[in-house]
Amino acid sequence: MSFRTTALSFTLSAFVTGTAFASQSPTQPEDQFDLAQQLALTPNTDSPSDARYWLEQSAHQGYLPAQKQLAEDYARGLTGNIDDSQAIYWFTSVALNDPTDSGFLLADFIQHHQTEVTNADLVDAWYQLSALKNPQAEEAYNQFLEQRFNQMRAKQVSEIVELDKKATVEEKQKQTKGHGEHKAEPSQAWFASGALGLAILVGGGLFGYRRHHRQTQINAANDASKSLQLETQVKELQFTNKQLKRQLEKVFKEFKKVKNQSDGQKLVVACAMFGYTPQTIPDSKAVKLRYRQLSKLYHPDSRGSEEEMKRLNQAFKTISQNVTKE
């Protein structure tokens, strides 16, 4: 058998094995980890995050090799977006469960990401891990999430108020400038109209010695005056229409600008409620997991209320519409 034939047979065998593995949807952490390894070598363009998904399934069952690789995955963005908070979470889990590691990977990661890692990220990771087995830690974690959300919400509200103030001042300045331009032009038009009317009256008086001829001149002057008045009115209307058109264009541009800012603010506030930013939204599975965690905090049956739960559901809907990976 030639080398080419052997290589082709091996590739086909690996593909068939990987397909069979995927179709079985393994439940054992070792099998899930092995499937993640295979998917990482032959990524699916339709579902590029499949490898990370199976790593998460295995890691959540306490399989240390999966936890280590998943932490590296989040830290370096191997099969998805970089997420420092998730990397800290899994490095911390390894530190607690692997005696041979004893926090080495966590310390190494923090040392090389000092500008990105915050105290809030560390507190979040430790609370999450403690909450898995300690009800007291779960309660403290819920309070921590609520406090962080309130801080982020207060910051966003302050920024929105400042934007509103700035928009109001700019709008007043534009209106003042627009009124000044509008008043100047009509005054010139009326001045021109008055001058023309005076010229017509003088012209009619010069020919006052002949009644018939005067009447003819008066009629002609009246017609000319009406024609000039109509022309002046048409020019004024054209000027007014141009002004209105420019104002409408400005209003439309401002409307689009404010609408885009409003949509962006909605996403920022929704992400803040979930502990994300618009640039670090994870895949839908992680979003749904965080939603279930926050539901325990905001549901009316626990410490929340219907209004808070409604706000959480709206935030979940907003974030889900902006998830880029499944």
Side-chain angles (χ1 to χ4, degrees), residues 58-244:
S58 179
H60 279 296
Q61 295 196 62
Y63 192 54
L64 281 173
Q67 293 185 358
K68 291 180 180 180
Q69 185 166 330
L70 183 58
E72 290 291 340
D73 194 331
Y74 276 119
R76 298 164 56 190
L78 300 176
T79 62
N81 293 331
I82 292 176
D83 190 330
D84 290 337
S85 62
Q86 286 296 308
I88 291 173
Y89 175 87
W90 289 111
F91 278 133
T92 303
S93 180
V94 172
L96 292 173
N97 296 291
D98 185 1
T100 61
D101 175 78
S102 299
F104 169 73
L105 293 177
L106 176 62
D108 183 70
F109 176 79
I110 294 175
Q111 180 186 1
H112 291 88
H113 296 80
Q114 295 183 34
T115 57
E116 295 89 358
V117 175
T118 64
N119 289 335
D121 293 330
L122 296 172
V123 173
D124 187 285
W126 281 97
Y127 267 145
Q128 281 194 66
L129 289 167
S130 300
L132 295 175
K133 298 180 180 179
N134 188 338
Q136 185 178 358
E138 182 176 4
E139 179 68 19
Y141 181 48
N142 290 336
Q143 292 177 2
F144 168 75
L145 288 176
E146 184 176 10
Q147 180 183 8
R148 188 167 65 172
F149 168 70
N150 290 335
Q151 291 173 348
M152 291 181 178
R153 179 171 56 184
K155 180 181 178 181
Q156 293 301 324
V157 170
S158 176
E159 291 177 352
I160 292 172
V161 170
E162 289 300 321
L163 287 173
D164 288 341
K165 289 181 180 179
K166 183 178 179 181
T168 302
V169 171
E170 291 178 352
E171 184 62 25
K172 287 182 178 179
Q173 291 175 349
K174 291 177 181 178
Q175 290 178 353
T176 302
K177 184 178 179 181
H179 286 316
E181 294 177 353
H182 187 69
K183 289 178 180 178
E185 190 68 20
S187 63
Q188 295 175 3
W190 282 110
F191 177 79
S193 178
L196 287 170
L198 180 60
I200 292 170
L201 290 175
V202 173
L206 291 176
F207 296 95
Y209 64 93
R210 293 183 63 178
R211 183 177 180 181
H212 177 71
H213 189 66
R214 182 180 62 185
Q215 188 63 43
T216 302
Q217 291 294 328
I218 290 173
N219 291 338
N222 287 336
D223 291 338
S225 178
K226 291 179 180 179
S227 177
L228 289 173
Q229 288 178 358
L230 288 173
E231 184 178 352
T232 301
Q233 291 176 357
V234 168
K235 289 181 179 179
E236 289 179 357
L237 287 173
Q238 289 176 343
F239 173 80
T240 303
N241 287 337
K242 288 181 180 179
Q243 289 288 93
L244 289 173

